[in-house]
Amino acid sequence: MQPLQNIWFSLIFQIQKPYNMKKQSNTWSEYKKRNTVKVLIVCLPNGMLVYASKPYEGSISDRQIIIDSGFLEMLDEGDVVLGNIFLIIIATYFVHW
């Protein structure tokens, strides 16, 4: 088995309620019950930050952030990644690659 190369997680930041109704809806997190933005963070096992995505509106799924961020294209086949829901997504990605 290959050693772990990346640790992925999403950070969620609370934001002030936007004045624009569409942005209010797009930033609303049903999980957090407030307006938020999410950022995909990727670290090495030693804790060094190697990637941070742009902020995404809080209503977007973690799966969509991973796809939209473009980080999957930076992975090589066989890379080992630690995360929660991300493992299923990456396995699916490489099967269809």
Side-chain angles (χ1 to χ4, degrees):
M1 180 174 201
Q2 290 192 5
L4 177 68
Q5 280 102 6
N6 296 297
I7 302 169
W8 293 29
F9 56 96
S10 65
L11 283 178
I12 301 172
F13 298 95
Q14 181 177 350
I15 61 169
Q16 189 173 20
K17 183 178 174 181
Y19 290 110
N20 180 296
M21 294 296 280
K22 182 160 176 62
K23 291 216 178 276
Q24 280 182 30
S25 173
N26 289 347
T27 60
W28 181 256
S29 168
E30 197 56 41
Y31 174 71
K32 293 288 187 179
K33 304 289 187 213
R34 55 184 52 113
N35 295 92
T36 63
V37 293
K38 294 180 183 180
V39 177
L40 173 67
I41 302 293
V42 182
C43 295
L44 296 176
N46 67 5
M48 182 177 172
L49 177 69
V50 293
Y51 180 81
S53 73
K54 68 177 186 177
Y56 288 88
E57 295 171 328
S59 64
I60 193 170
S61 69
D62 289 348
R63 179 182 189 279
Q64 198 60 45
I65 291 175
I66 294 167
I67 293 167
D68 288 351
S69 71
F71 192 76
L72 286 177
E73 285 75 33
M74 297 179 205
L75 294 176
D76 294 322
E77 190 169 359
D79 280 356
V80 179
V81 177
L82 175 66
N84 47 16
I85 193 167
F86 306 120
L87 296 176
I88 297 167
I89 296 163
I90 291 168
T92 303
Y93 175 78
F94 283 119
V95 166
H96 297 289
W97 193 29

